[in-house]
Amino acid sequence: MRSYRKELWFEAPTRRAFINMTPEVERCLKESGIREGLVLVNAMHITASVFINDNESGLHHDFEIWLERLAPHEPVSQYRHNVGEDNADAHLKRQIMGREVVVAITDGKLDFGPWEQIVYGEFDGRRKKRVLVKIIGE
Ligand code: ZN
């Protein structure tokens, strides 16, 4: 069995953002040379997510509205976590949207269903964050 590991860096210029990271994962897969196996992609920070869904701007807007309704950023004083920081809502949003995804690799390609894309969700941006890509197989 072969294995491959890479850290990808993201720096969203805004507090919250959704970034389609599928092309970068595909580049990793090509670099790994692995044709059959599994790829794990996980956010290495507890205020960011990696999830699979449609890479469609209307849906990303809807996620933003929905998450803001569930865990509004303001007022920051409503959260106990916000002692000396203001990102409690980002932790909650990350919990809802998830930490990682696993995708099957078949014949050297990400074996997606229709419209599936890997999306990086940022909830406390304007700083550099890492995403781990781990591929195992042969
Ligand atoms: Zn925090």
Side-chain angles (χ1 to χ4, degrees):
M1 191 197 72
R2 287 156 68 184
S3 85
Y4 168 97
R5 182 188 190 277
K6 189 159 196 174
E7 293 177 4
L8 303 175
W9 287 88
F10 293 89
E11 186 171 8
T14 49
R15 181 179 291 273
R16 287 187 293 277
F18 293 114
I19 299 164
N20 182 15
M21 58 174 297
T22 311
E24 278 164 279
V25 177
E26 284 170 339
R27 265 195 296 279
C28 291
L29 181 53
K30 199 163 276 179
E31 204 173 280
S32 76
I34 291 170
R35 307 278 305 163
E36 297 290 327
L38 293 171
V39 55
L40 165 78
V41 185
N42 71 267
M44 298 178 83
H45 299 258
I46 53 182
T47 52
S49 286
V50 173
F51 62 94
I52 291 182
N53 216 304
D54 198 350
N55 180 48
E56 193 273 313
S57 60
L59 180 66
H60 292 182
H61 173 80
D62 295 339
F63 278 140
E64 162 67 12
I65 301 294
W66 178 65
L67 289 168
E68 208 34 39
R69 212 176 279 151
L70 288 171
H73 177 66
E74 305 267 0
V76 295
S77 60
Q78 72 190 299
Y79 300 105
R80 279 205 196 176
H81 178 69
N82 285 341
V83 178
E85 56 181 331
D86 67 352
N87 67 1
D89 67 302
H91 290 278
L92 300 176
K93 286 163 176 143
R94 177 260 170 77
Q95 200 63 30
I96 292 163
M97 297 306 282
R99 171 184 182 263
E100 79 275 306
V101 300
V102 176
V103 182
I105 299 158
T106 305
D107 203 18
K109 292 201 167 76
L110 298 173
D111 202 341
F112 282 139
W115 302 108
E116 283 192 327
Q117 294 282 283
I118 303 170
V119 180
Y120 174 75
E122 178 59 79
F123 308 116
D124 185 24
R126 298 173 297 194
R127 57 196 171 104
K128 291 180 99 179
K129 290 189 183 172
R130 284 174 298 159
V131 171
L132 177 67
V133 178
K134 180 86 183 190
I135 307 174
I136 56 169
E138 52 189 24

